[in-house]
Amino acid sequence: MSVGLVYLDHAATSPLRPGVATAMDEARAGVLGNPSGSHPAAQRARRLLEEARDEVAAFLGRDPGDVVFCSGGTEAANLAVFGTVGAAEGAGEAGEVLWSAVEHPAVREAVHAVQAAGAGARELPVGEEGALDVGALSEALTERTTLVAVMTANNETGVVQPLGAVVAAVRRRAPQAAVFTDAVQAAPWLDLAEVAAGADLVALSAHKLGGPVGVGALAVSPRVGLVARQVGGGQERERRSGTQDVVGAVGLAAAVRLAAAERAAVGARVARLRDELRRGLLSAVRGLWVTVPDGVEVLPGHLHLCVPGADREEVLVALGREGVCVSGGSSCASGALEPSYVLAAMGVERKVADGSLRFTLGPATTEAHVARALEVVPAVVERLRRTV
Ligand code: PLP
């Protein structure tokens, strides 16, 4: 029996979950006004928006007033970086941003931009396992540090970052600094109310959680100064102007509700399937490079491997022809053959990194998908590999 498309690219985007689609359809039914208005249709929209805010806040263990709805993970990360650096500059502080070498481009490029505009910024190294070097962070923290950006888990490797130790070091050595964590990848899998409890700013994106594309949120602790990036009608308590996407917010709320309810069971099942895929590939393909060493905490859905001697674009295209969807690393760089800066930061040699493959499983992944991937991937890789 055909298993259909074998979709193993959930870290790029995770299909809309039926429960989320239903919640969005229900919200859409009936007249929805602009939530800033005062008539009944506007009040209905406002009520739905605030209920969604309550759910997102509960998911993150925050106050509803801390949650700023926006258009996704990129905007949330941009707002965190530009907003806090802008506030420090407004207060006359010549601050410095510290950030890990494996941050997503939404953070990385925002830091490059504030750096180009004159702010101080220092990139912090990761070890060969892909986790931030907390010792290097501790040494870099000073009274000038305004922002420390360390993601909760990496999008390419799935490596969970030592956020608790980051927060502890910042509070000890630079208590004035804000900690921002991009939790976009971690959100489907980790309890952020616990794991990201000490962070001042937390970014989420609905479409990594089986929610709609184009919706996200940034939680901002009231102790942190934030200058809005997008100005206008003053929505979201002056932190993000623009009429809110109420149906999108309802979708994000439904996605986090489902993720929280199913976290333990889905996480365990997906990790088991991921381990089966890993074992199967390692026994069937000669000389596979396991990017993240055993014993390092990785998100349940992530499996990152490199095929030395293979060209990842060729492999991805050939797998796609067989109905197996995986990616070569970060989805944002698709099409580009640029080396992964994440793998470079981990010290992976270029010729190994050029054969990188990221398999990311999700709630809808089944045994049959894994079995089909184990039929297809070894054959394709062996056919396309030039040298070992
Ligand atoms: N941060 C991380 C870690 C991501 O993986 C992504 C998406 O790939 C983003 C931010 C950007 O999120 P969005 O696609 O919602 O803009």
Side-chain angles (χ1 to χ4, degrees), residues 35-240:
S36 298
S38 53
H39 50 66
Q43 283 167 7
R44 173 167 186 266
R46 168 61 67 182
R47 199 178 59 248
L48 290 176
L49 184 69
E50 295 314 321
E51 284 169 7
R53 196 186 307 282
D54 289 348
E55 291 215 50
V56 173
F59 180 74
L60 294 171
R62 311 266 152 170
D63 289 332
D66 295 358
V67 174
V68 180
F69 285 119
C70 62
S71 68
T74 301
E75 187 187 340
N78 274 223
L79 179 58
V81 174
F82 290 113
T84 52
V85 170
E89 282 170 1
E93 294 162 18
E96 186 174 51
V97 180
L98 302 178
W99 55 295
S100 91
V102 296
E103 294 301 302
H104 186 272
V107 175
R108 186 179 172 85
E109 295 307 323
V111 174
H112 287 159
V114 294
Q115 197 172 18
R122 245 190 297 174
E123 187 181 272
L124 301 169
V126 296
E128 60 182 19
E129 76 292 358
L132 176 79
D133 178 343
V134 181
L137 165 69
S138 294
E139 278 170 29
L141 289 164
T142 67
E143 69 286 349
R144 289 185 63 236
T145 311
T146 48
L147 180 67
V148 176
V150 177
M151 66 205 322
T152 319
N154 182 259
N155 45 301
E156 288 190 39
T157 60
V159 171
V160 177
Q161 299 296 316
L163 195 58
V166 167
V167 170
V170 172
R171 298 295 176 247
R172 204 169 46 244
R173 301 181 77 113
Q176 78 290 347
V179 176
F180 164 52
T181 194
D182 170 353
V184 166
Q185 289 292 335
W189 310 109
L190 303 184
D191 180 354
L192 295 177
E194 195 184 309
V195 174
D200 300 292
L201 303 116
V202 185
L204 285 185
S205 173
H207 74 108
K208 311 289 182 172
L209 282 149
V213 178
V215 187
L218 179 69
V220 188
S221 144
R223 86 174 195 103
V224 170
L226 191 85
V227 171
R229 280 277 283 166
Q230 191 161 304
V231 292
Q235 287 91 342
E236 298 297 292
R237 298 195 182 179
E238 308 278 345
R239 295 166 298 186
R240 199 272 189 180

